[in-house]
Amino acid sequence: MSVASKRPAAAPGAEAPAPASRPSLARSLLRTARPKQWVKNLLVFAAPGAAGVLSEPAQLGRTMVAFVAFCLAASGTYFLNDALDVEADRQHATKRNRPIAAGHITTKQAKIVAGVLILLALGISAPLNNGRLVAVVGAYVVVTVSYSLWLKHEPIIDLGAVAAGFGLRAIAGGAATGVPLSNFFLIVVGAGSLFMVAGKRHAELNELGDSSSNHRVTLGHYSDAFLNYVRATTSGVAITGYALWAFEKADQVGNQFWFRLSIVPFVLAILRYALTVEQGGGGAPEEVVLSDRVLQVLGALLLACFAIGVYAG
């Protein structure tokens, strides 16, 4: 009896499963651009929003340009990072499905798209505020590319490099609109960013287990205890900094009650995110923000307190 004759016959009316179709190039490019992560770029609205200038059409337009510039720059660096990390990503349970790691986009194509997106980001930033925005976008690209090439292999420095990306987004809003940035504001952004990055590393460490250092070298240097310490320290600094910033803003502009009240949803949002990390989430901060309804409500309350304090004060 032949091998073929030993195979069970298909059930009447059943069809053989169709082979998985290869996604289109356009779809693969969009996936690599990671539009879900553009939510991080909303940080550019923080400084001009707190200063109460978003009601001015010109300032709102400048902030929108900063937002678009960071979306382009961030997506460009994602293409470059994935092209450089293609072999490491193929060892990761989920990252191996990324278009470049899966072979749907070549590394050459990815690098060309990265260059085009980064140049577009710098090009639209250049005319704003005497080139201050293009300097911030340029600094973001330099830090992110340096991270992809080298800094991600250095323990502690890798945390700072990723956190710097968040900080530069927040600084970009001030650079685009000419809004001066409070020292307390920068402390909140910096500490809050480190808090989220430590949560991301914690999730990666638990997800990958003993093979974590094969995917990311620095994970071999971190432990749960150390990352818990980083999260505890940075969350405390962020909460203290925000409280001081809220009181500072209350003395400068708007209704003092609403600025002070905003401290409550901010603290609860930090604690909610900390609980999510402790329960195994936090590997993708943008996914947490987009999926956690309680966190979204707390964010809406925080924005409402600030908006009322600034614009109805």
Side-chain angles (χ1 to χ4, degrees):
M1 183 181 293
S2 67
V3 175
S5 64
K6 295 181 181 179
R7 294 173 182 164
E15 296 181 0
S21 59
R22 182 185 181 92
S24 66
L25 179 60
R27 183 177 178 82
S28 297
L29 291 172
L30 182 61
R31 279 190 60 200
T32 307
R34 311 223 236 297
K36 280 188 177 181
Q37 299 211 24
W38 292 347
V39 69
K40 300 174 184 177
N41 301 324
L42 292 174
L43 274 171
V44 304
F45 290 91
V53 302
L54 290 180
S55 57
E56 303 171 20
Q59 294 288 57
L60 177 60
R62 294 185 184 100
T63 309
M64 287 298 300
V65 170
F67 175 77
V68 172
F70 263 87
C71 288
L72 292 169
S75 290
T77 58
Y78 296 147
F79 273 93
L80 183 60
N81 181 74
D82 286 3
L84 296 173
D85 281 357
V86 62
E87 295 303 328
D89 285 350
R90 285 171 179 162
Q91 301 178 33
H92 192 276
T94 56
K95 291 182 180 181
R96 65 185 178 187
N97 297 318
R98 287 177 174 177
I100 299 174
H104 301 150
I105 301 175
T106 68
T107 56
K108 181 178 179 180
Q109 289 172 326
K111 291 176 182 179
I112 291 173
V113 174
V116 170
L117 292 176
I118 290 171
L119 288 176
L120 284 173
L122 296 172
I124 68 171
S125 303
L128 264 66
N129 208 0
N130 297 322
R132 292 179 183 175
L133 178 60
V134 74
V136 178
V137 174
Y140 171 82
V141 172
V142 169
V143 170
T144 308
V145 172
S146 298
Y147 172 83
S148 298
L149 293 173
W150 167 48
L151 299 179
K152 66 183 178 183
H153 302 303
E154 299 295 330
I156 306 301
I157 304 301
D158 71 313
L159 302 181
V162 177
F166 289 94
L168 288 168
R169 287 174 169 93
I171 292 171
T177 57
V179 170
L181 301 177
S182 161
N183 291 332
F184 293 134
F185 173 81
L186 294 174
I187 289 172
V188 173
V189 172
S193 300
L194 276 173
F195 169 68
M196 287 193 293
V197 176
K200 180 177 174 66
R201 292 292 182 266
H202 172 84
E204 291 173 341
L205 191 63
N206 288 323
E207 178 186 357
L208 298 173
D210 294 336
S211 63
S212 59
S213 59
N214 294 331
H215 172 69
R216 193 184 299 279
V217 175
T218 55
L219 289 177
H221 297 272
Y222 298 144
S223 64
D224 281 337
F226 173 75
L227 293 174
N228 287 339
Y229 163 74
V230 175
R231 297 205 312 277
T233 302
T234 53
S235 61
V237 172
I239 289 171
T240 302
Y242 184 86
L244 293 172
W245 182 46
F247 279 100
E248 179 186 62
K249 293 299 296 182
D251 290 336
Q252 292 176 353
V253 61
N255 187 299
Q256 294 189 5
F257 171 78
W258 290 102
F259 281 113
R260 293 169 180 171
L261 184 62
S262 72
I263 297 172
V264 176
F266 181 85
V267 173
L268 293 177
I270 290 286
L271 296 178
R272 175 74 179 188
Y273 195 92
L275 177 62
T276 300
V277 171
E278 190 64 27
Q279 292 176 337
E286 68 283 354
E287 293 289 348
V288 176
V289 173
L290 293 172
S291 62
D292 191 318
R293 295 291 178 264
V294 174
L295 197 59
Q296 291 170 3
V297 170
L298 291 171
L301 290 173
L302 175 64
L303 292 175
C305 288
F306 243 96
I308 296 171
V310 171
Y311 297 102

